[in-house]
Amino acid sequence: MTAQFTAEVDQNEYLPEGGRVVDAIVTVTAQGGDLRTASPALSAAQVIMVDTSGSMAMPGTKIAEAKKATAVAIDTLRDGVAFAVVAGTAGAHMIYPGDTRMVPANAQTRAEAKAAVSRLRADGGTAIGRWLDLANFLFAGQQAEVKHAILLTDGQNQHETPQDFQKVLDACEGKFICDSRGVGTDWVATELRKVASTLLGTADGLEDPSELPAAFRAMTEAAMGKSVADVSLRVWTPAGSTIRFVKQVYPQVEELTGRRVEVSARIGDYPTGAWGAESRDYHISVEVEPDAVGEEVLAARFSLVSGGQVLTEKLVLARWTDDTALSTKINPQVAHYTGQAELAEVIQDGLKARDQGDIETATAKLGRAVQLANESGHEGTAKLLARVVDVVDAPTGTVRLKKQVAGVDAELTNVRSTKTVRVKKKQPEEG
């Protein structure tokens, strides 16, 4: 059974006389799809990239838990799913199978793969782009509808240039999905987010190596649960209009504007990857030609498409009014996600300023982040921010930078900066 898609639009469609900008939040929900029970299931392939650099042995729990996690991911694969395991150092090496190919999961190949993984040793450097390049080569030989990779590292991408890293990411874009994870204290949030953003996956850090098996299981289950592949968000706009931006704003902020693929002069597709049973929110902002008071126009048509089939569709409207009570009303969803996008930006800017020694900018940016997290009820981000600043007054964003901050605390705050929450529900008043 494939997923059934529905969509809802939240917006204030009323514009003041001469108004041009239309903002809408579109919530898309897919229900009922699950590859593990779908018949027939989508074909899938998975590559697991495990950092085996020397630092993975310091402490040894990292490599030990990474082996357990890889075994768990292998056991989570459906029968018939093509898979391979890659060891990442300053190069990339096949762990299973022994040659450069993928094999279908079954009882025999799972046992062989887990035996090969159990023999992994930590020794060498880190060049993440080379790991991804090998994964891309492996996936190129597969016709699978869902191609998913897991990338685990505990260190910085030291043994290749940023230009080489970017070149590989550009070559991999659109070819497969990759979830990136950091473990230990020396990984770099911006590198993990870059991998996840380019390859339409997720990024996160794990504070304790013992969290790895559950994380690998969850990522593999999510991949196995995809039931619609290569889904694009399609936006039609009327003649004379301009798309200001298109963003995914839940479950994490992802800028999609620059990824537009032209269908026609007025229609563009934005990639969203594969879907299972899940819900995502998108913020669409369009500048339209103003019309007369009382007129209503179609500002945009939003749809999700896959393989030429329209999965769901919604309209974004604009109408002009001289009633200021209507035109000045701020839609709570639009306001919330505008704040969430700003929250991600100021966290990243604040931490960058902190690293550069710009205390004034860092304090201002991270103070604003504390204020936004407090306003939106984003408790997870508020707790992470409290690791890097002393909060004097959350509602006003008054903070002091902590003098001593564990490196991993700053990286966790950074890597999770794009994670969002939905509008905080108001508690009913007691009466």
Side-chain angles (χ1 to χ4, degrees):
M1 177 182 179
T2 57
Q4 302 298 310
F5 286 79
T6 58
E8 298 178 3
V9 174
D10 280 286
Q11 68 164 131
N12 177 13
E13 61 193 60
Y14 290 99
L15 298 179
E17 186 174 1
R20 292 174 174 270
V21 176
V22 181
D23 285 288
I25 302 297
V26 184
T27 297
V28 180
T29 302
Q31 295 179 314
D34 190 331
L35 269 179
R36 291 162 293 178
T37 58
S39 180
L42 294 182
S43 56
Q46 175 155 304
V47 175
I48 304 167
M49 292 168 276
V50 181
D51 188 338
T52 57
S53 61
S55 58
M56 285 289 286
M58 299 179 288
T61 50
K62 286 190 288 186
I63 191 67
E65 293 295 337
K67 292 179 188 180
K68 291 180 187 176
T70 304
V72 167
I74 291 168
D75 282 337
T76 307
L77 297 170
R78 291 194 328 273
D79 281 348
V81 169
F83 78 103
V85 181
V86 171
T89 57
H93 315 281
M94 293 296 299
I95 295 303
Y96 186 81
D99 49 357
T100 312
R101 62 190 176 95
M102 301 180 75
V103 296
N106 57 43
Q108 179 180 338
T109 57
R110 285 193 188 92
E112 291 172 350
K114 288 187 289 184
V117 168
S118 72
R119 295 189 290 271
L120 283 176
R121 296 293 180 267
D123 182 30
T126 304
I128 295 172
R130 294 169 194 165
W131 314 352
L132 291 167
D133 191 46
L134 178 53
N136 195 29
F137 179 84
L138 292 167
F139 282 128
Q142 299 295 317
Q143 298 300 314
E145 294 162 291
V146 175
K147 298 179 181 180
H148 175 253
I150 293 173
L151 185 152
L152 173 70
T153 185
D154 79 327
Q156 302 176 30
N157 196 34
Q158 295 177 321
H159 294 91
E160 64 183 345
T161 66
Q163 293 78 13
D164 287 342
F165 182 39
Q166 187 61 55
K167 185 177 179 180
V168 171
L169 283 174
D170 291 342
C172 293
E173 185 172 3
K175 306 293 179 55
F176 61 95
I177 296 166
C178 185
D179 292 321
S180 61
R181 295 293 184 269
V183 67
T185 59
D186 295 323
W187 50 273
V188 178
T190 53
E191 293 172 354
L192 296 188
R193 285 195 294 103
K194 180 175 284 191
V195 170
S197 177
T198 304
L199 304 182
L200 299 177
T202 62
D204 204 355
L206 305 172
E207 297 186 72
D208 192 308
S210 65
E211 300 174 66
L212 281 170
F216 272 45
R217 178 184 290 109
M219 288 184 283
T220 304
E221 284 181 343
M224 296 299 97
K226 302 300 184 185
S227 60
V228 184
D230 295 325
V231 179
S232 292
L233 186 164
R234 177 167 292 177
V235 181
W236 171 95
T237 49
S241 66
T242 303
I243 290 188
R244 298 177 66 235
F245 60 79
V246 177
K247 297 177 183 178
Q248 178 182 287
V249 289
Y250 179 85
Q252 67 263 345
V253 177
E254 191 61 63
E255 179 62 63
L256 300 175
T257 312
R259 297 189 175 192
R260 178 184 175 97
V261 177
E262 295 287 336
V263 177
S264 69
R266 292 161 62 182
I267 301 174
D269 282 356
Y270 303 83
T272 70
W275 285 64
E278 58 189 290
S279 183
R280 308 182 197 178
D281 293 348
Y282 297 92
H283 186 172
I284 300 172
S285 186
V286 182
E287 185 173 325
V288 297
E289 290 291 332
D291 213 325
V293 169
E295 290 297 314
E296 179 182 270
V297 301
L298 179 59
R301 180 185 295 114
F302 171 102
S303 57
L304 251 65
V305 297
S306 178
Q309 178 185 0
V310 176
L311 305 172
T312 187
E313 183 176 88
K314 279 292 179 180
L315 307 180
V316 177
L317 303 176
R319 63 176 70 183
W320 285 265
T321 180
D322 53 11
D323 185 341
T324 56
L326 292 175
S327 64
T328 58
K329 186 177 181 181
I330 300 174
N331 179 272
Q333 290 272 18
V334 171
H336 174 79
Y337 282 125
T338 299
Q340 292 278 283
E342 183 189 354
L343 175 59
E345 183 177 354
V346 293
I347 288 174
Q348 292 162 28
D349 289 349
L351 291 172
K352 183 177 180 180
R354 173 184 166 275
D355 291 342
Q356 294 173 342
D358 185 349
I359 304 303
E360 184 177 349
T361 299
T363 303
K365 295 285 187 180
L366 294 173
R368 176 60 175 157
V370 167
Q371 185 180 35
L372 288 166
N374 179 70
E375 289 174 355
S376 62
H378 202 323
E379 296 176 1
T381 294
K383 289 178 181 177
L384 285 169
L385 286 165
R387 297 186 182 192
V388 296
V389 297
D390 291 316
V391 179
V392 179
D393 185 65
T396 61
T398 306
V399 304
R400 289 188 298 266
L401 296 187
K402 287 184 180 291
K403 292 183 178 180
Q404 297 293 328
V405 177
V408 71
D409 286 340
E411 297 306 318
L412 281 167
T413 306
N414 189 331
V415 79
R416 295 177 184 173
S417 62
T418 60
K419 296 181 186 296
T420 55
V421 294
R422 284 186 158 141
V423 174
K424 189 177 181 180
K425 301 290 186 183
K426 291 185 178 180
Q427 296 297 321
E429 296 181 7
E430 296 181 5

